[in-house]
Amino acid sequence: MVDCNELKQAMADEDEDKVIEIVNAYMAENGQTGEGSDEVLAALQDGMTEVGDLFDKGEYFVGDLMFAGEIMTESMGILKPAIAKGAGDSQTSGKLIFCTVKNDLHDIGKNIVKAMMEAGGLEVIDLGVDAEPQTIIDEIKKNDVHVLALSGVLTLAIDSMKDTVNALAAAGIRDDVKVLIGGAPVTAEYCRFTGADDWSLNPAHSVDICRNWFAELSNNAAA
Amino acid sequence: MSATKLTKEEAAKLLDYRRNLIVNTVRMKDTDRIPWIFSDGPWDAHDAGYTIEQEINDPHILLESVLYNQREYDFDSHMTPTQRNPMWIAQPFGQSTSGYKIDDETGMLHVDDVAHVYPEHYDIFLENPTKFWWSCFMATKYPNLKAMKPSDLREVFRRQNVQQQVHAETFERLGNEYGVPGLFYKAQFASPFVEQAFDWFRGIKGTTQDLHRIPDKMEECAKLYHEVYNKPALEAVKKHQLPNDPMRTVDLTTTMLSQTFMNRKQIEKYLWPYYEEFFNAVVEADATMLIFSEGSIKPYWPYLKNIPAGHVFIHLEQDDIYESVEALPNIVFGGGMSTSLLGRGTPDECAARAEQLINDLKGHIILSEDKIMTYPEDARPENLKAVTEVVHASARK
């Protein structure tokens, strides 16, 4: 079995070659059975958490998050067959829909936050860019999702965010879905304007907001 | 409120007044009011009754939009009156395949994060920069280039000439008819290699990958780029060899965007050493510099603190102008009027914000929009007019 501490550290250091080497070594040894894929996945996720911490401390910046996301995606691509064996499907702590809103095609920020969310154990249904409110509503209903994250870079995206929130209300599901907005133009003022529940410009903060919402949902369900 | 038509003499007098107003503000000298400049973008086409498609496909429409804008809002200068993507020139090259998306129905304008060169091309750059631009960058960005017939190429160059002539006419008419100077018209331009890679030829994702995967190669390219492209510009500034043009208000210009993705170590290796040389050249020549920034420039704050007063004007996008002035009192900042207020607020709210900025920060700022004005929602005409009125009324009698 590979050294998961070494893997975690390599991920935190964004040492792409080492991460891929360790993941490949794991697959060569255990890929057929999937045994131990939980630990490998957890090591990668812990490494990503460390990346998020370094971002919060100001040592890493947005490009580092982007690169970490790429290493994570690359690693997951390699690990997929092992995870599919069922040995590595660790429990996710919540499922959300994430997209860039209608009339906006920017996805770099969305993809960074998505990678952080997935590394944080959340399941993300990614609707891509230029997402129509009706498509979002259909997917929310289809997947029984209660958290929606909307991203946008253009000032134009603010109106689309507001339209999406209004569409949730018109569809009668606004009270069932928490809405988070994020992206370059987003401010507290725009959060109020769009009617979203919260806003964020920080990937790690976005993950925390969603996790808190899932914890609330879980508590409400238990009560 | 629209600007009245000026006689030639009135325009010349106003041009002189406005130029001194901007130059003296950048120099941090006493002025009778704050300058008010427009951060031009496709908003001007919407406002003048054109579409973005029309503006980027016909430089005459861009000219008409800019002049309409000037008549309507009486700005002291325009940040980028001629800088729109000249699609009509690039289309025969195959530019349309390179990720530009324009939808006038929704007002959407988008450029994909596209890489026009790849890591293997850096060796060609190090060997021969000119070859790199033509055989790597141009060949990827303009896929039709190699197979083009001479007659098609001639058409491209004809369009390029028309574009340049109309651009020159734009500045000429702004100056001669409206008394409006340019800002960095005929100024020198310098920029770090990584900033250029990020903005123009390698893309955000590509540059980020390269900085992580091939840091030494990037450093080598950065040094060579600086020698070949920046040093001549800095020498021209130092030797006062800039063309003597009444339309120019600053001597050197640069941009700042890539800091929004880079960590401190990367900034200290790939960006700051080059910017520092730019600042040193400007101070040594007792010249002035305009920085058009996008995103937050806070990562540069620790370095910018040592720049002497009266040389640098930074147009802000994301940072709070009060906070910026407090942190860097030697620098003049452009901005203060957010598109969220200009686009969604009332004339009274916009006037109140402008008045507050004038009262609080005169001598430290040039009033402007906080973004390249792009979408119809970025400003209401009546709000821009309200700001112009406040600015003009604030002039010392």
Side-chain angles (χ1 to χ4, degrees):
Chain A
M1 181 66 184
V2 296
D3 183 341
C4 285
N5 282 331
E6 195 186 2
L7 177 60
K8 177 190 159 187
Q9 195 54 50
M11 185 71 226
D13 293 342
E14 305 200 331
D15 187 339
E16 185 184 24
D17 292 342
K18 188 173 261 184
V19 169
I20 300 306
E21 184 191 316
I22 296 172
V23 172
N24 277 329
Y26 163 77
M27 289 302 287
E29 199 180 330
N30 301 92
Q32 292 295 320
T33 62
E35 191 187 339
S37 62
D38 270 353
E39 286 89 335
V40 174
L41 192 58
L44 288 168
Q45 288 175 336
D46 289 348
M48 279 294 272
T49 304
E50 182 87 23
V51 168
D53 290 345
L54 290 167
F55 176 80
D56 283 340
K57 286 178 192 160
E59 282 186 46
Y60 279 176
F61 215 59
V62 180
D64 302 303
L65 296 185
M66 188 193 281
F67 193 63
E70 282 190 36
I71 300 174
M72 187 74 185
T73 305
E74 205 180 338
S75 305
M76 292 300 285
I78 299 168
L79 276 177
K80 222 172 187 173
I83 294 170
K85 302 263 177 218
D89 62 344
S90 53
Q91 288 290 309
T92 60
S93 56
K95 179 167 66 176
L96 71 140
I97 283 179
F98 198 0
C99 58
T100 302
V101 292
K102 186 169 164 51
N103 296 332
D104 198 331
L105 304 174
H106 291 86
D107 63 0
I108 289 177
K110 173 181 73 67
N111 292 341
I112 291 172
V113 179
K114 180 187 165 191
M116 295 294 285
M117 285 178 166
E118 287 177 337
L122 303 177
E123 182 185 343
V124 179
I125 300 169
D126 185 353
L127 301 186
V129 299
D130 194 19
E132 293 274 354
Q134 191 54 52
T135 309
I136 296 170
I137 289 166
D138 292 346
E139 291 296 322
I140 286 172
K141 288 179 177 171
K142 190 173 113 188
N143 295 287
D144 189 26
V145 165
H146 300 279
V147 173
L148 170 66
L150 300 174
S151 170
V153 167
L154 309 176
T155 47
L156 201 65
I158 300 298
D159 285 326
S160 298
M161 288 172 179
K162 186 179 173 63
D163 291 346
T164 306
V165 174
N166 288 344
L168 294 177
I173 57 172
R174 179 65 189 94
D175 293 340
D176 303 328
V177 180
K178 292 278 194 188
V179 182
L180 170 68
I181 60 170
V186 170
T187 60
E189 189 188 349
Y190 277 146
C191 184
R192 283 190 293 276
F193 173 77
T194 58
D197 296 294
D198 211 339
W199 66 286
S200 175
L201 298 177
N202 176 318
H205 182 223
S206 302
V207 177
D208 287 342
I209 290 169
C210 292
R211 275 185 173 156
N212 289 339
W213 283 345
F214 286 120
E216 264 176 46
L217 285 165
S218 169
N219 290 341
N220 291 346
Chain B
M1 179 191 58
S2 298
T4 49
K5 188 152 179 63
L6 304 172
T7 64
K8 205 175 167 187
E9 292 71 28
E10 286 170 333
K13 202 174 159 194
L14 189 54
L15 176 65
D16 193 46
Y17 167 79
R18 280 173 160 152
R19 191 174 173 279
N20 284 330
L21 180 68
I22 295 166
V23 169
N24 287 335
T25 302
V26 176
R27 290 293 190 182
M28 304 194 93
K29 290 180 183 168
D30 188 36
T31 59
D32 69 343
R33 67 168 171 83
I34 282 182
W36 165 223
I37 63 172
F38 187 56
S39 183
D40 312 60
W43 183 89
D44 60 8
H46 298 298
D47 191 45
Y50 298 108
T51 63
I52 305 173
E53 280 283 355
Q54 286 174 312
E55 190 178 62
I56 59 175
N57 284 302
D58 185 345
H60 297 93
I61 284 179
L62 172 57
L63 167 64
E64 285 310 314
S65 300
V66 170
L67 296 183
Y68 173 85
N69 225 239
Q70 182 55 34
R71 283 194 295 276
E72 287 296 299
Y73 311 109
D74 208 7
F75 296 112
D76 290 316
S77 187
H78 292 245
M79 182 63 74
T80 47
T82 57
Q83 288 180 324
R84 306 290 183 278
N85 296 97
M87 298 299 287
W88 75 304
I89 299 173
Q91 267 158 1
F93 278 145
Q95 166 87 64
S96 57
T97 59
S98 298
Y100 284 75
K101 293 180 182 70
I102 293 149
D103 183 344
D104 270 305
E105 271 187 34
T106 59
M108 181 164 72
L109 173 65
H110 177 85
V111 186
D112 282 341
D113 182 46
V114 177
H116 298 300
V117 299
Y118 299 95
E120 60 269 28
H121 293 145
Y122 290 134
D123 282 331
I124 297 171
F125 178 78
L126 291 169
E127 191 185 299
N128 183 343
T130 307
K131 187 179 172 189
F132 168 85
W133 295 118
W134 283 98
S135 65
C136 305
F137 173 74
M138 292 286 279
T140 312
K141 187 172 168 81
Y142 304 124
N144 297 351
L145 180 63
K146 277 186 181 170
M148 280 177 84
K149 287 185 276 182
S151 58
D152 294 336
L153 269 176
R154 272 197 294 277
E155 174 58 15
V156 169
F157 290 122
R158 186 194 68 78
R159 291 181 185 193
Q160 174 75 25
N161 280 337
V162 170
Q163 185 94 6
Q164 284 173 347
Q165 281 164 14
V166 177
H167 286 180
E169 186 188 340
T170 305
F171 284 104
E172 203 177 298
R173 291 186 64 184
L174 278 172
N176 294 342
E177 295 176 25
Y178 299 89
V180 174
L183 287 170
F184 50 89
Y185 185 55
K186 296 190 182 173
Q188 292 293 324
F189 176 76
S191 179
F193 173 80
V194 166
E195 176 75 17
Q196 290 296 294
F198 189 89
D199 294 352
W200 300 111
F201 58 84
R202 186 70 183 111
I204 297 170
K205 197 172 165 183
T207 308
T208 301
Q209 287 170 344
D210 298 345
L211 290 172
H212 283 89
R213 288 175 179 156
I214 45 169
D216 294 342
K217 183 85 74 186
M218 292 298 274
E219 193 178 12
E220 220 181 321
C221 289
K223 284 178 179 166
L224 179 67
Y225 183 94
H226 186 66
E227 286 296 321
V228 175
Y229 299 106
N230 294 332
K231 281 210 170 160
L234 301 184
E235 282 307 307
V237 172
K238 281 189 210 170
K239 291 178 181 166
H240 301 279
Q241 286 172 336
L242 280 76
N244 188 13
D245 196 296
M247 290 296 287
R248 192 185 67 244
T249 43
V250 299
D251 305 307
L252 180 70
T253 185
T254 191
T255 57
M256 286 180 171
L257 171 62
S258 56
Q259 78 285 349
T260 54
F261 275 74
M262 291 167 67
N263 63 43
R264 181 150 305 283
K265 282 180 189 164
Q266 290 169 333
I267 286 172
E268 286 182 352
K269 189 171 177 183
Y270 300 104
L271 295 174
W272 178 249
Y274 303 104
Y275 284 122
E276 189 176 30
E277 273 203 45
F278 305 166
F279 291 123
N280 288 343
V282 164
V283 173
E284 190 186 314
D286 192 24
T288 55
M289 178 176 183
L290 186 159
I291 301 170
F292 185 79
S293 76
E294 292 181 88
S296 171
I297 59 156
K298 282 184 183 173
Y300 289 123
W301 278 13
Y303 317 107
L304 294 170
K305 281 181 193 298
N306 299 324
I307 290 172
H311 296 286
V312 178
F313 162 36
I314 302 180
H315 190 276
L316 296 173
E317 183 180 62
Q318 209 172 330
D319 297 329
D320 179 75
I321 201 160
Y322 279 90
E323 216 186 326
S324 301
V325 168
E326 198 187 335
L328 302 167
N330 283 352
I331 288 173
V332 168
F333 290 100
M337 297 305 302
S338 70
T339 49
S340 55
L341 181 64
L342 288 167
R344 295 170 202 280
T346 64
D348 284 348
E349 288 168 338
C350 293
R353 167 74 176 172
E355 216 162 294
Q356 189 75 54
L357 286 163
I358 290 167
N359 290 338
D360 296 344
L361 302 178
K362 182 173 181 281
H364 292 274
I365 66 165
I366 288 177
L367 209 58
S368 184
E369 301 78 12
D370 68 348
K371 282 185 180 64
I372 297 171
M373 298 289 283
T374 305
Y375 305 101
E377 295 81 2
D378 282 346
R380 291 178 175 150
E382 61 271 28
N383 289 349
L384 289 175
K385 288 177 183 177
V387 176
T388 303
E389 274 187 32
V390 167
V391 169
H392 288 184
S394 73
R396 213 161 34 213
K397 299 292 182 289

